Coordinates of all heavy atoms in Angstrom, one line a residue:
L1505 N 1.4 -17.9 54.5 CA 3.0 -17.8 54.7 C 3.7 -19.2 54.3 O 4.7 -19.2 53.6 CB 3.3 -17.4 56.1 CG 4.7 -17.0 56.4 CD1 5.1 -15.8 55.6 CD2 4.8 -16.8 57.9
K1506 N 3.2 -20.3 54.8 CA 3.6 -21.6 54.6 C 3.8 -21.9 53.2 O 4.6 -22.6 52.7 CB 2.7 -22.6 55.2 CG 2.8 -22.8 56.7 CD 1.9 -23.9 57.2 CE 1.7 -23.9 58.8 NZ 0.8 -25.0 59.1
R1507 N 2.8 -21.4 52.3 CA 2.7 -21.8 50.9 C 3.4 -20.7 50.0 O 3.1 -20.7 48.8 CB 1.3 -22.0 50.5 CG 0.7 -23.4 51.1 CD -0.7 -23.4 51.2 NE -1.1 -24.7 51.9 CZ -0.9 -24.9 53.2 NH1 -0.6 -24.0 54.0 NH2 -1.3 -26.2 53.6
G1508 N 4.1 -19.8 50.6 CA 4.8 -18.8 49.8 C 3.9 -17.7 49.3 O 4.3 -17.0 48.3
L1509 N 2.6 -17.7 49.7 CA 1.6 -16.6 49.2 C 1.7 -15.4 50.0 O 1.0 -14.5 49.7 CB 0.3 -17.3 49.2 CG 0.1 -18.5 48.3 CD1 -1.3 -19.2 48.6 CD2 0.2 -18.1 46.9
A1510 N 2.5 -15.3 51.1 CA 2.6 -14.1 51.9 C 4.2 -13.9 52.0 O 4.9 -14.8 52.3 CB 2.2 -14.4 53.3
Y1511 N 4.6 -12.8 51.6 CA 6.0 -12.5 51.5 C 6.2 -10.9 51.7 O 5.2 -10.1 51.7 CB 6.7 -12.8 50.2 CG 6.1 -12.0 48.9 CD1 6.7 -10.9 48.5 CD2 4.8 -12.4 48.3 CE1 6.1 -10.1 47.4 CE2 4.3 -11.7 47.2 CZ 5.1 -10.6 46.8 OH 4.5 -9.9 45.8
Q1512 N 7.4 -10.5 51.9 CA 7.8 -9.1 52.1 C 8.5 -8.5 51.0 O 9.3 -9.1 50.4 CB 8.6 -8.9 53.4 CG 7.8 -9.0 54.6 CD 8.5 -8.4 56.0 OE1 9.6 -9.0 56.2 NE2 8.1 -7.4 56.5
A1513 N 8.2 -7.3 50.6 CA 8.9 -6.7 49.4 C 8.9 -5.2 49.7 O 8.1 -4.6 50.4 CB 8.2 -7.0 48.2
E1514 N 9.9 -4.6 49.0 CA 10.0 -3.2 49.0 C 9.1 -2.6 47.9 O 9.4 -2.8 46.7 CB 11.5 -2.8 48.8 CG 11.7 -1.2 49.1 CD 12.1 -1.0 50.6 OE1 12.2 -2.0 51.3 OE2 12.3 0.1 50.9
V1515 N 8.1 -1.9 48.3 CA 7.2 -1.4 47.3 C 6.8 -0.1 47.5 O 6.8 0.6 48.6 CB 5.9 -2.3 47.3 CG1 6.1 -3.7 46.8 CG2 5.2 -2.2 48.7
P1516 N 6.5 0.7 46.3 CA 6.1 2.2 46.5 C 4.7 2.1 47.1 O 3.7 1.4 46.6 CB 6.1 2.7 45.2 CG 6.1 1.5 44.2 CD 6.7 0.4 45.0
V1517 N 4.4 2.8 48.2 CA 3.2 2.9 48.8 C 2.6 4.3 49.0 O 3.4 5.3 48.9 CB 3.1 2.2 50.2 CG1 3.5 0.8 50.0 CG2 4.2 2.8 51.0
N1518 N 1.3 4.4 49.2 CA 0.7 5.7 49.5 C 0.9 6.1 50.9 O 0.3 5.5 51.8 CB -0.8 5.8 49.1 CG -1.0 5.4 47.7 OD1 -0.4 6.0 46.9 ND2 -2.0 4.6 47.5
W1519 N 1.9 6.9 51.3 CA 2.3 7.2 52.6 C 1.7 8.5 53.0 O 1.9 9.6 52.4 CB 3.7 7.2 52.8 CG 4.2 7.7 54.2 CD1 4.8 8.9 54.5 CD2 4.0 7.0 55.4 NE1 5.0 8.9 55.8 CE2 4.6 7.7 56.4 CE3 3.5 5.8 55.8 CZ2 4.6 7.5 57.7 CZ3 3.5 5.4 57.1 CH2 4.0 6.3 58.1
C1520 N 0.9 8.5 54.0 CA 0.4 9.7 54.6 C 1.0 10.1 56.0 O 0.8 9.5 56.9 CB -1.2 9.7 54.8 SG -1.9 11.1 55.5
P1521 N 2.0 11.1 55.9 CA 2.5 11.5 57.2 C 1.7 11.8 58.3 O 1.9 11.5 59.4 CB 3.5 12.6 56.7 CG 3.8 12.4 55.3 CD 2.3 11.9 54.8
A1522 N 0.6 12.6 58.0 CA -0.4 13.1 58.9 C -1.0 12.0 59.6 O -1.2 11.9 60.9 CB -1.3 14.1 58.4
L1523 N -1.5 11.0 58.9 CA -2.2 9.8 59.5 C -1.3 8.8 60.0 O -1.6 7.9 60.7 CB -3.1 9.2 58.4 CG -4.3 10.0 57.9 CD1 -5.1 9.4 57.0 CD2 -5.1 10.5 59.1
G1524 N 0.1 8.9 59.5 CA 1.1 7.8 59.9 C 0.8 6.4 59.4 O 1.1 5.6 60.1
T1525 N 0.3 6.3 58.3 CA -0.1 5.0 57.7 C -0.1 5.0 56.3 O -0.1 6.0 55.6 CB -1.5 4.6 58.2 OG1 -1.7 3.2 58.0 CG2 -2.6 5.5 57.6
V1526 N 0.0 3.8 55.7 CA -0.1 3.5 54.4 C -1.6 3.5 54.0 O -2.3 2.8 54.6 CB 0.7 2.2 53.9 CG1 0.3 1.9 52.4 CG2 2.0 2.3 54.2
L1527 N -1.9 4.0 52.8 CA -3.4 4.0 52.4 C -3.4 3.3 51.1 O -2.5 3.4 50.3 CB -3.9 5.6 52.2 CG -3.8 6.5 53.3 CD1 -4.2 7.9 53.0 CD2 -4.6 5.8 54.5
A1528 N -4.6 2.6 50.9 CA -4.9 1.9 49.7 C -5.3 3.0 48.6 O -5.6 4.2 48.9 CB -6.1 1.0 49.9
N1529 N -5.1 2.7 47.4 CA -5.4 3.7 46.2 C -6.7 4.3 46.4 O -7.0 5.4 46.1 CB -5.3 2.9 44.9 CG -3.8 2.7 44.5 OD1 -2.8 3.3 45.0 ND2 -3.6 1.7 43.7
E1530 N -7.7 3.5 46.8 CA -9.1 4.1 46.9 C -9.3 5.0 48.1 O -10.3 5.6 48.2 CB -10.1 2.9 47.0 CG -9.9 2.0 48.2 CD -9.1 0.8 48.0 OE1 -8.2 0.9 47.0 OE2 -9.0 -0.2 48.8
E1531 N -8.3 5.0 49.0 CA -8.4 6.0 50.1 C -7.6 7.3 49.9 O -7.5 8.1 50.8 CB -7.7 5.3 51.4 CG -8.4 4.0 51.8 CD -7.7 3.3 53.0 OE1 -6.6 3.1 52.9 OE2 -8.4 3.2 54.0
V1532 N -7.2 7.4 48.6 CA -6.5 8.6 48.2 C -7.3 9.3 47.1 O -7.6 8.8 46.0 CB -5.1 8.4 47.7 CG1 -4.2 9.6 47.4 CG2 -4.2 7.7 48.8
V1533 N -7.6 10.6 47.3 CA -8.5 11.3 46.3 C -7.6 12.7 46.0 O -7.3 13.5 47.0 CB -9.8 11.7 46.8 CG1 -10.5 12.4 45.8 CG2 -10.6 10.3 47.1
D1534 N -7.3 12.9 44.8 CA -6.6 14.0 44.4 C -5.4 14.4 45.2 O -5.1 15.5 45.6 CB -7.6 15.3 44.4 CG -8.7 15.2 43.5 OD1 -8.5 14.6 42.5 OD2 -9.9 15.8 43.9
G1535 N -4.5 13.4 45.6 CA -3.3 13.5 46.2 C -3.5 13.7 47.7 O -2.4 14.0 48.4
V1536 N -4.7 13.6 48.2 CA -4.8 13.8 49.6 C -5.6 12.6 50.2 O -6.3 11.8 49.5 CB -5.5 15.0 50.1 CG1 -4.6 16.3 49.7 CG2 -6.9 15.2 49.5
S1537 N -5.6 12.3 51.5 CA -6.3 11.3 52.1 C -7.7 11.5 52.0 O -8.1 12.7 52.2 CB -5.9 11.0 53.5 OG -6.1 12.1 54.4

Side-chain angles (χ1 to χ4, degrees):
L1505 188 64
K1506 284 180 188 177
R1507 287 155 182 79
L1509 296 171
Y1511 65 95
Q1512 284 192 298
E1514 193 86 8
V1515 294
V1517 297
N1518 299 315
W1519 171 252
C1520 179
L1523 297 179
T1525 190
V1526 172
L1527 300 178
N1529 285 335
E1530 61 273 14
E1531 295 175 305
V1532 181
V1533 179
D1534 296 329
V1536 298
S1537 62

